[in-house]
Amino acid sequence: MRGGTIAKRYARACHELGVETKKGRLLQKQLRAFADLYAKTPVLQTALLNPSIELDQRRNVLVAFGRKMMWDGLMTSFVRLLLDKDRIRFIEDIADAFDDLADQHAG
């Protein structure tokens, strides 16, 4: 896990929000789908990580992508936060950590 502590921290926050709002399973599904697509799509990685592209433009790409994928508003807010905090590169690790938390929560 490349983002170890960082990934666990963000996953925990997202998971807790999902539990509070009763959207945990939805967030897990959307987060996993995005992480898998991100891993397989170098052009998406470049679009979101390239510092020569203005942050507002990268946000617009992410929000448009979320609309197309019919993300819940919480998911859109969460991935925007990851982008703003320069943590989007850890999305796969965050999704893995979220899956672990969801499994623990389910018992």
Side-chain angles (χ1 to χ4, degrees):
M1 187 179 276
R2 295 177 316 241
T5 303
I6 292 169
K8 288 177 185 175
R9 187 177 307 133
Y10 280 93
R12 187 177 317 112
C14 187
H15 182 262
E16 288 175 3
L17 186 58
V19 169
E20 284 178 23
T21 60
K22 308 242 187 285
K23 294 182 178 182
R25 182 69 183 120
L26 175 63
L27 290 175
Q28 181 182 14
K29 181 179 174 184
Q30 291 178 349
L31 186 60
R32 171 53 55 203
F34 178 61
D36 290 348
L37 182 65
Y38 179 87
K40 297 177 198 171
T41 314
V43 71
L44 179 60
Q45 294 171 26
T46 300
L48 296 178
L49 295 176
N50 190 339
S52 67
I53 300 172
E54 292 289 325
L55 181 58
D56 283 341
Q57 290 175 315
R58 289 184 279 153
R59 278 188 199 124
N60 290 342
V61 166
L62 194 60
V63 169
F65 182 82
R67 262 192 234 115
K68 191 169 203 97
M69 299 304 294
M70 298 179 4
W71 282 348
D72 183 81
L74 290 174
M75 175 65 178
T76 301
S77 296
F78 181 68
V79 293
R80 277 193 65 199
L81 175 70
L82 295 177
L83 183 67
D84 290 350
K85 298 293 184 180
D86 196 27
R87 301 295 193 235
I88 200 78
R89 70 186 74 248
F90 302 121
I91 192 69
E92 295 167 78
D93 296 327
I94 293 168
D96 290 343
F98 190 107
D99 288 342
D100 291 344
L101 289 168
D103 290 345
Q104 290 172 11
H105 184 76

